[in-house]
Amino acid sequence: MIMGNGVKELADSLLKEAAQLREQKNAEGMRRFGIVFRKAYGVKRPALKAIAAPYKNQSDLADELWQRDIHEAYILSVLVENARNLTADKIDSRVFSFYSWDICDISCILYGRTPFVREKIALYVPDEREYVRRAGFVLILVLSVHDKKAPDSEFMEYLKRIEEYSFDDRNFVKKAVDWALRGIGKRNMNLHAAAVETAKKLSFSPLKSARWIGRHSLRELQNEKVMQRIARSVKGS
């Protein structure tokens, strides 16, 4: 643990290092990919990972970086955070402040491995805020990938949530719903069949967003290589 001004000085040092790698052209390109920011240096993710690498699992540093209102500072905050120190309230505070899909996604990859993931899915999915709802569905995706012991019945329930919220035509919500549907479908052959059934149902929906989710998911879930990979993973488990 770093004490007192040492945390602020270290955060300053990391951000100075990031600023030296500033790429204005990349910052402008971020906007074309729908990345929202108030201030950004345009530093690419591998470079940020290299900056953060010596400072893993330092929650005090993560807290300080989160206060800086610089896009790269938020990413660095997630990269140095210690998941064991995350509390339910701290996760809520961060999620409720999301303003861009990339901050949402990198954060949820971390939050999805905490003991709070299920209660946060239940809280965030019904939330009307775009990036909070997105967080809920990204957490479903992370859970589907990393919790190998979770029963199929749990993901069957999540398929119901996917169908229920497929009406939401906001770009970053519908893409997360689609992502979660594909993630569940890749988990095993049983869930693959259920996900394909859900996707087919959505593809005939009168709602444009639901049709997009269903058809986009079907293209991947019915891809022969994807199906072969699922079958191999089940045999090897």
Side-chain angles (χ1 to χ4, degrees), residues 104-120:
C104 173
D105 292 0
I106 191 175
S107 298
C108 287
I109 290 170
L110 179 67
Y111 304 159
R113 302 192 188 198
T114 69
F116 312 108
V117 58
R118 288 170 175 83
E119 69 178 75
K120 296 311 173 188

Side-chain angles (χ1 to χ4, degrees), residues 19-190:
Q20 291 172 344
L21 300 174
R22 186 192 307 265
E23 293 187 43
Q24 186 59 37
K25 185 177 181 180
N26 190 47
E28 293 169 359
M30 288 162 61
R31 293 196 190 278
R32 290 196 294 273
F33 283 96
I35 296 174
V36 178
F37 56 84
R38 291 177 283 271
K39 180 178 180 180
Y41 300 137
V43 182
K44 295 179 180 178
R45 189 68 59 85
L48 291 174
K49 287 183 177 180
I51 292 171
Y55 307 101
K56 296 284 188 179
N57 299 320
Q58 297 192 29
S59 292
D60 49 354
L61 177 59
D63 290 342
E64 179 64 29
L65 285 164
W66 195 267
Q67 305 301 317
R68 296 305 183 94
D69 201 24
I70 301 171
H71 199 76
E72 286 78 5
Y74 293 116
I75 296 173
L76 286 168
S77 174
V78 177
L79 292 173
V80 304
E81 181 62 89
N82 187 340
R84 293 182 179 181
N85 291 337
L86 287 168
T87 64
D89 288 343
K90 185 174 181 178
I91 291 173
D92 286 345
S93 176
R94 300 285 169 84
V95 170
F96 295 157
S97 70
F98 287 162
Y99 62 87
S100 185
W101 66 263
D102 64 324
I103 300 296
C104 173
D105 292 0
I106 191 175
S107 298
C108 287
I109 290 170
L110 179 67
Y111 304 159
R113 302 192 188 198
T114 69
F116 312 108
V117 58
R118 288 170 175 83
E119 69 178 75
K120 296 311 173 188
I121 290 170
L123 178 65
Y124 300 154
V125 164
D127 196 290
E128 291 291 338
R129 288 168 286 187
E130 183 173 10
Y131 293 111
V132 179
R133 181 168 291 168
R134 179 181 176 91
F137 284 102
V138 175
L139 287 175
I140 291 174
L141 178 279
V142 175
L143 190 67
S144 74
V145 172
H146 293 292
D147 191 338
K148 305 299 184 184
K149 296 182 179 180
D152 287 1
S153 58
E154 180 176 2
F155 293 99
M156 292 293 191
E157 290 299 315
Y158 292 142
L159 288 175
K160 295 178 183 178
R161 301 289 82 74
I162 285 168
E163 185 175 346
E164 180 181 359
Y165 288 94
S166 64
F167 73 88
D168 195 326
D169 62 358
R170 290 175 293 181
N171 190 46
F172 297 117
V173 174
K174 74 176 184 181
K175 287 186 174 181
V177 174
D178 166 57
W179 198 13
L181 176 54
R182 288 183 285 122
I184 292 173
K186 294 176 186 178
R187 190 171 167 86
N188 58 49
M189 294 307 295
N190 182 43

